[in-house]
Amino acid sequence: MQLQTFFETHPRVAIAFSGGVDSTYLLYAAVRCGADVRAYFVQSPFQPAAAAGRAQALAGQIGAPLSIVTFDPLEDGQVRANPPERCYLCKRMLFTRLLECAAQQDYPSLLDGTNASDDPNDRPGMRALEELGVRSPLRECGLTKTEIRRRMREAGLPGWDRPSDSCLATRVKTGQTLEKSLLQRIDRAEAAVAALGFSCLRVRVAGNDARIELPDGQLERAAACRRALLTALAPEFDTVSLDLKGRKTEELP
């Protein structure tokens, strides 16, 4: 199936829009295919502070209306406890909320940006989408991450080479209680490391200790910048280490 065909049969849709590569291309495709579409960005403690502004700018450039939905998964004790099934629990709550918002504005279908490269074994939240009837056109049409990036680049869309991201809760060791203040510290720490010129990074947390993950090509410079990294993260964490294994990153088309 082609995306044009999908939107011909689903002419009025809502899209869960993060501002990442997949949801950006899906929103762009919906507009190009003539669908009546509205994007919904979820503002929560799980998202970096800069994410909302980026999503607003992208939706404006694409020419799609955007609604910002406030959602706090930490209000749920099960999610806050950060069990192994946290992603499933959070996704089910989040998309239930989005379905309600879409229905209130008479959008009969809710879509998300899951693509054909996404492995359900690595993404427990996909089970929640299936249970709730959320459609994933990129996956249904067989579009892989590489193909989506290629199409974005050819269309001149910004962010085609943006690294894949995940919510801030993924940085916290399973079983450690999730707190808004901790997620904010992680966000500030990652922004501080990025400000030193590093990219495709993660700051993982266990207790009050932070571990910086960087791609292989950045490890040598990170070692040379040891003092700067320690200074940058000192306000947030007691102990800072560097993962020497090197973080695997996606190859761009």
Side-chain angles (χ1 to χ4, degrees):
M1 179 171 59
Q2 300 295 316
L3 285 175
Q4 181 68 52
T5 303
F6 180 91
F7 287 114
E8 286 173 356
T9 55
H10 300 81
R12 184 172 170 83
V13 297
I15 292 179
F17 184 66
S18 67
V21 170
D22 299 322
S23 62
T24 296
Y25 181 71
L26 181 60
L27 185 63
Y28 167 80
V31 171
R32 286 291 301 270
C33 292
D36 179 355
V37 57
R38 174 171 286 274
Y40 288 87
F41 175 83
V42 177
Q43 192 163 44
S44 86
F46 285 15
Q47 307 305 316
R54 183 172 63 248
Q56 288 176 309
L58 285 167
Q61 183 169 344
I62 291 170
L66 175 73
S67 295
I68 295 182
V69 178
T70 302
F71 171 70
D72 188 357
L74 297 179
E75 292 178 356
D76 183 89
Q78 285 184 291
V79 173
R80 194 166 58 251
N82 197 19
E85 66 273 20
R86 183 210 71 248
C87 183
Y88 165 77
L89 296 170
C90 182
K91 285 284 189 183
R92 188 166 179 87
M93 290 172 56
L94 187 156
F95 277 88
T96 296
R97 174 72 181 277
L98 289 182
L99 283 165
E100 292 170 352
C101 293
Q104 288 171 2
Q105 295 187 294
D106 296 321
Y107 287 95
S109 299
L110 177 63
L111 316 179
D112 95 305
T114 302
N115 66 63
S117 299
D118 291 327
D119 184 352
N121 294 321
D122 294 331
R123 294 176 176 263
M126 289 173 64
R127 176 162 61 95
L129 304 184
E130 183 177 354
E131 291 173 355
L132 293 171
V134 177
R135 301 290 296 271
S136 303
L138 301 178
R139 185 174 182 82
E140 293 177 31
C141 293
L143 295 178
T144 64
K145 191 78 164 191
T146 299
E147 174 65 13
I148 291 164
R149 288 190 185 278
R150 184 187 66 79
R151 291 188 181 195
M152 285 186 67
R153 183 180 60 186
E154 291 178 353
L157 287 171
W160 70 269
D161 56 350
R162 180 177 175 78
S164 297
D165 206 353
S166 56
C167 83
L168 295 171
T170 62
R171 279 54 154 185
V172 183
K173 184 177 178 62
T174 298
Q176 179 174 344
T177 301
L178 295 172
E179 301 288 352
K180 183 176 180 180
S181 59
L182 174 61
L183 298 174
Q184 290 173 332
R185 288 162 59 202
I186 293 169
D187 187 20
R188 291 193 296 266
E190 292 192 344
V193 176
L196 292 173
F198 297 97
S199 60
C200 302
L201 65 100
R202 294 286 187 272
V203 175
R204 308 283 185 191
V205 174
N208 201 40
D209 299 337
R211 184 181 77 250
I212 303 172
E213 294 181 0
L214 295 168
D216 281 337
Q218 299 180 38
L219 291 177
E220 186 174 347
R221 190 167 75 85
C225 294
R226 181 178 67 88
R227 290 189 180 278
L229 287 168
L230 288 172
T231 299
L233 270 63
E236 312 298 344
F237 297 102
D238 293 340
T239 302
V240 177
S241 61
L242 177 65
D243 191 331
L244 297 179
K245 290 185 296 186
R247 185 168 181 267
K248 293 183 179 180
T249 56
E250 179 186 354
E251 291 188 10
L252 299 179

